Amino acid sequence: MAQAKPNTIQKLKSWFLAGDKDLAMLRAQLTVLSGQLPMMYGILLISSWALAITHMSIAPDWLTLYPLVIATVIVVFRSIDWLRLDPASLSKKQAISRVQAVIKLSVVISVAFTTWSLMLFEYGDVLDKAHVSFYMAVTVISCIFCLGSVPQAALIVSIVVNGTFVGFFLFSDTVFFRAAAVNVTLVCAGMLFVMRQSYRHFCHMVEEEVRSKQLIEVNKRLANRDSLTDLANRRAFYNALERQCMEACQSKNSIAVGAIDLDGFKPINDMYGHMVGDLLLKQVGLRLQTLTSQFPGTDFFRVGGDEFSFIVSEPCSDGDSHLIGEQICAVMQRPFDIDNSEVAISATVGIAHFDPDMDSFQDVIEKADFALYQGKRNERGTCTIFSEYLHCQQRRTTQIQHALKSEGLSDEITPVFQPIVDIVHDRIIAVEALARWNSVSLGNVMPSEFIPVAETSGCVVDITKIVFEKSLAAARDWPSALQLSVNLSAKDVSDEDLLMWIYQRIVRSDIAPQRINLEVTETAFGTDSSKVEEHLRLFRHLGCGVSLDDFGVGHSSLSRLHHLPLTKIKIDKSFVSNLNREARNFTIVKSLLNLARDIELDCIVEGVETEQELKLLRELQVNMVQGFYYSKPLTQEQLIELLSQNGDLSAGSLRQSA
């Protein structure tokens, strides 16, 4: 049944009772009243005392003194109450009650002061009566002015006081009083008109302020929310963490911070496109949001492309944090349904606890990131808690970072060379240059330690330059048939300046480009693959070889291999270990070899260490191998000595010296 529209009387009643106002308008009215009502009370009180004092000698005390004493006490308490009022803390019901009280009180005050004034009018001479009329005129004008933010109350005061004033004095025998009645009527009418206009502007101003606040809130939300996943974003994460760390320092409580990285997201994003990647990220965000109810006090944030973070504001132990991390990993391991197709990824989690006595909020972020980094290196898809052991590793990493930036790095980094053997003709055909670092401050640092640090800290380009420059110089002393293979990291192949530097070094050297082979890993093609391919084609046109290193452990698209400017692939050593005991490894190597033959690429198998492994590889018709079975990496001096004893590059003598 349709609801009946309110009639005019109902609308008028609602207007007089302030029932048509929203909370923002009510609070704005009360804010103005809290400053103007005490002023109105002051004007009324002072004017009333002035009138009473002039009539004390001609009117009784019950009409002059006693009413003003009582009124003074009431006005003082009312003024204090208004001055202490905080409109922002009031609910809508409380605010309406306050405004309605002002409207009702305007009736009481206007009637009381009008009655009191007319009672005093009976005493004194013409001058005293003129004082009373002047008092009433000034009173109504001041009240209308002070009650302008509540037009209902101003109108009531005007009707009661001005109506009585006009009705009483308009029919007076004295021309002065009749003229005064007309003047007061005109002034009040003008005041009411001005008040109406001012009130409209006041309402418009309040509405604009509300809109402005709403826009600010919307902008604040947009600035702190990730539009794709609807999780809080990177800015919100840093703000929340800084705030909670400050609170933790005061309360001496510990909070936990977690870093989440999606394993396998980039290959899916590259293979199926950004639209599928975005749909996957949305579902990741939804799954993380479901965990907030399971773990109260845990908030999740999207801080990067496929990187997420979380804060556990409730104090928790390492065991509690590990439980949250394991649950995140478990949730992410379940297949995702993207356009009716299953997509599988995993998540690696690193968690650190904030120590109020030692850490800044930046410190705890670095600890969580370091725990994540270690988790990705050791076992992806698991949760790693930052521990004292990791703290020692982090200090070691920091020391390596500082040492890598030392001025003497070029003297400390030297290349060593591991032979690559053609097992069909039993000959050394190439050597791979590997970086070794003997630091003045740290001593000998293993490549497994400093290479990952160099890649993350941006120093790997400097190391590549040093190794390439020294290897190129060393190759001048080798037989012309021996090739040089140099590794390029993912950062190297995306650095156009470095590649141009290498290109110019090759062109200007007296080493034939055909003797130089560049080894790149699959991760090098993960970001801007088209640009990387374009760069590498320059080297192919120059005559250099390009090898895909660690093949089989990454996420290369088989169809994309046809388009890469490759001459060789190197099968990762992880498939060679236990080749004689793991049927699965044997099958994988066989498949990779068949693939290499199908796309007409040479194949090198890394990590050959035993006679049995070599025998099995011969059965698979492998042509080239590399590993400790033939030789560990050699210094330039050791390699020169070997080459001087073995002019025909026979691998037999190499095996005897191993």
Side-chain angles (χ1 to χ4, degrees):
M1 185 175 182
Q3 188 175 2
K5 293 184 178 180
N7 56 35
T8 304
I9 295 176
Q10 289 174 327
K11 288 181 179 179
L12 191 61
K13 181 180 178 182
S14 177
W15 180 78
F16 263 104
L17 295 178
D20 61 338
K21 299 293 184 294
D22 58 25
L23 181 58
M25 180 61 70
L26 292 167
R27 285 176 174 174
Q29 288 177 302
L30 292 173
T31 300
V32 175
L33 287 174
S34 65
Q36 291 189 345
L37 278 185
M39 180 175 66
M40 185 189 78
Y41 287 142
I43 293 172
L44 282 175
L45 202 59
I46 294 170
S47 300
S48 299
W49 272 108
L51 180 62
I53 289 171
T54 60
H55 282 71
M56 280 183 179
S57 59
I58 55 176
D61 288 346
W62 62 266
L63 187 59
T64 54
L65 181 61
Y66 301 150
L68 266 296
V69 171
I70 295 172
T72 300
V73 174
I74 294 173
V75 164
V76 168
F77 279 103
R78 291 293 299 167
S79 297
I80 293 173
D81 179 55
W82 277 103
L83 290 170
R84 295 174 60 185
L85 179 68
D86 179 18
S89 65
L90 300 180
S91 65
K92 184 172 183 178
K93 184 178 180 181
Q94 292 171 324
I96 290 176
S97 178
R98 271 282 193 178
V99 173
Q100 288 178 344
V102 172
I103 297 171
K104 294 173 184 177
L105 194 60
S106 67
V107 178
V108 175
I109 291 176
S110 56
V111 171
F113 277 86
T114 300
T115 303
W116 180 69
S117 302
L118 294 180
M119 291 176 68
L120 283 177
F121 189 79
E122 300 299 323
Y123 297 91
D125 54 20
V126 174
L127 189 60
D128 294 319
K129 295 180 186 296
H131 188 185
V132 173
S133 67
F134 179 77
Y135 165 80
M136 292 182 71
V138 171
T139 299
V140 70
I141 292 171
S142 62
C143 285
I144 291 173
F145 175 78
C146 293
L147 293 171
S149 62
V150 185
Q152 302 96 318
L155 183 61
I156 288 171
V157 171
S158 179
I159 291 172
V160 173
V161 179
N162 193 46
T164 305
F165 185 93
V166 172
F168 187 83
F169 290 107
L170 190 60
F171 301 102
S172 173
D173 296 334
T174 307
V175 176
F176 170 79
F177 292 128
R178 291 201 297 270
V182 173
N183 287 338
V184 169
T185 301
L186 293 174
V187 170
C188 285
M191 286 284 293
L192 288 173
F193 178 78
V194 172
M195 180 203 70
R196 182 170 176 270
Q197 296 298 111
S198 298
Y199 182 70
R200 283 183 175 179
H201 291 305
F202 173 75
C203 292
H204 179 71
M205 181 185 69
V206 173
E207 290 170 359
E208 288 300 314
E209 185 178 355
V210 170
R211 286 196 196 96
S212 178
K213 286 182 178 179
Q214 289 174 342
L215 285 174
I216 290 172
E217 286 299 317
V218 170
N219 289 334
K220 184 178 179 181
R221 185 183 183 280
L222 291 175
N224 290 279
R225 304 296 295 184
D226 174 55
S227 59
L228 183 63
T229 62
D230 200 39
L231 295 174
N233 63 12
R234 186 184 190 89
R235 174 187 291 181
F237 169 68
Y238 280 105
N239 290 339
L241 182 59
E242 186 173 13
R243 182 182 67 254
Q244 292 193 31
C245 285
M246 291 176 64
E247 293 173 358
C249 287
Q250 294 172 354
S251 62
K252 296 301 179 183
N253 288 329
S254 176
I255 61 174
V257 178
I260 307 169
D261 189 74
L262 302 182
D263 307 313
F265 171 78
K266 287 181 180 178
I268 291 172
N269 196 50
D270 292 341
M271 188 177 300
Y272 299 107
H274 294 296
M275 186 174 294
V276 171
D278 287 348
L279 291 174
L280 178 56
L281 289 173
K282 281 184 180 180
Q283 291 198 26
V284 168
L286 289 173
R287 290 192 184 182
L288 291 177
Q289 285 176 333
T290 60
L291 294 176
T292 56
S293 59
Q294 187 175 346
F295 299 105
T298 303
D299 298 306
F300 291 92
F301 307 80
R302 184 188 178 204
V303 296
D306 61 342
E307 298 172 0
F308 297 81
S309 292
F310 61 92
I311 302 174
V312 185
S313 55
E314 307 254 342
C316 59
S317 64
D318 283 356
D320 296 330
S321 300
H322 199 267
L323 179 63
I324 296 173
E326 285 185 329
Q327 189 61 33
I328 293 170
C329 294
V331 164
M332 293 304 155
Q333 283 175 349
R334 297 201 305 265
F336 290 83
D337 185 6
I338 307 293
D339 288 339
N340 298 321
S341 298
E342 280 195 354
V343 173
I345 59 171
S346 63
T348 304
V349 180
I351 300 177
H353 286 258
F354 174 73
D355 186 342
D357 297 323
M358 296 179 59
D359 296 333
S360 66
F361 81 97
Q362 292 97 338
D363 292 333
V364 74
I365 292 175
E366 290 178 4
K367 288 180 177 180
D369 285 340
F370 191 80
L372 172 66
Y373 172 73
Q374 293 300 317
K376 290 182 77 69
R377 285 189 65 189
N378 299 330
E379 188 177 358
R380 297 190 175 207
T382 61
C383 173
T384 302
I385 304 292
F386 189 86
S387 60
E388 184 59 35
Y389 171 73
L390 289 186
H391 186 49
C392 294
Q393 283 194 314
Q394 187 185 37
R395 284 202 302 267
R396 173 69 172 176
T397 299
T398 302
Q399 291 172 344
I400 292 173
Q401 285 176 337
H402 288 308
L404 284 172
K405 295 176 182 177
S406 65
E407 293 181 359
L409 184 66
S410 60
D411 297 326
E412 299 171 359
I413 295 287
T414 55
V416 293
F417 307 97
Q418 186 173 34
I420 298 172
V421 178
D422 177 353
I423 59 175
V424 176
H425 301 94
D426 199 32
R427 288 175 58 82
I428 306 170
I429 58 171
V431 292
E432 179 183 357
L434 303 168
R436 293 294 183 265
W437 182 26
N438 185 9
S439 169
V440 173
S441 58
L442 302 177
N444 282 315
V445 185
M446 296 295 292
S448 58
E449 269 195 301
F450 74 82
I451 294 297
V453 176
E455 289 178 340
T456 56
S457 63
C459 299
V460 70
V461 171
D462 297 327
I463 294 175
T464 300
K465 282 186 175 182
I466 296 168
V467 171
F468 190 83
E469 188 88 63
K470 292 185 177 181
S471 299
L472 208 59
R476 295 189 184 98
D477 299 328
W478 304 342
S480 59
L482 191 62
Q483 295 182 347
L484 168 66
S485 191
V486 181
N487 291 287
L488 297 181
S489 71
K491 187 172 181 61
D492 290 336
V493 295
S494 61
D495 189 326
E496 192 167 347
D497 291 337
L498 172 66
L499 294 178
M500 289 302 100
W501 180 89
I502 293 175
Y503 188 91
Q504 290 170 1
R505 285 295 187 279
I506 295 173
V507 171
R508 294 172 184 173
S509 73
D510 51 2
I511 306 296
Q514 290 75 14
R515 292 181 58 195
I516 297 174
N517 184 71
L518 303 178
E519 292 190 15
V520 296
T521 59
E522 293 178 80
T523 55
F525 298 93
T527 51
D528 189 355
S529 59
S530 60
K531 197 71 174 174
V532 172
E533 291 173 23
E534 181 185 337
H535 291 159
L536 294 179
R537 287 191 191 281
L538 287 175
F539 291 96
R540 287 291 296 117
H541 291 315
L542 186 62
C544 300
V546 177
S547 299
L548 186 62
D549 199 11
D550 301 334
F551 183 66
V553 297
H555 304 276
S556 285
S557 167
L558 298 182
S559 61
R560 209 172 82 189
L561 282 176
H562 288 283
H563 304 291
L564 298 179
L566 302 176
T567 55
K568 301 181 184 70
I569 60 173
K570 298 185 73 174
I571 296 178
D572 187 69
K573 61 184 178 182
S574 60
F575 299 115
V576 179
S577 59
N578 298 322
L579 189 63
N580 56 330
R581 291 191 296 270
E582 291 282 349
R584 179 174 173 271
N585 281 5
F586 186 87
T587 303
I588 291 174
V589 172
K590 183 178 180 180
S591 300
L592 294 176
L593 287 168
N594 290 333
L595 172 65
R597 294 187 187 106
D598 289 342
I599 57 179
E600 298 179 347
L601 292 177
D602 292 332
C603 188
I604 302 172
V605 178
E606 298 180 291
V608 180
E609 296 186 358
T610 67
E611 180 74 35
Q612 183 65 26
E613 290 169 355
L614 184 64
K615 181 180 178 181
L616 291 172
L617 292 174
R618 288 185 187 276
E619 291 178 11
L620 291 171
Q621 298 181 345
V622 171
N623 293 336
M624 293 175 284
V625 301
Q626 178 181 356
F628 285 1
Y629 175 77
Y630 278 103
S631 174
K632 293 182 179 180
L634 306 171
T635 64
Q636 170 70 348
E637 292 76 16
Q638 291 170 330
L639 181 59
I640 291 295
E641 182 180 353
L642 176 68
L643 295 175
S644 64
Q645 297 172 358
N646 183 18
D648 60 356
L649 299 178
S650 171
S653 59
L654 179 63
R655 177 72 190 99
Q656 293 169 5
S657 63

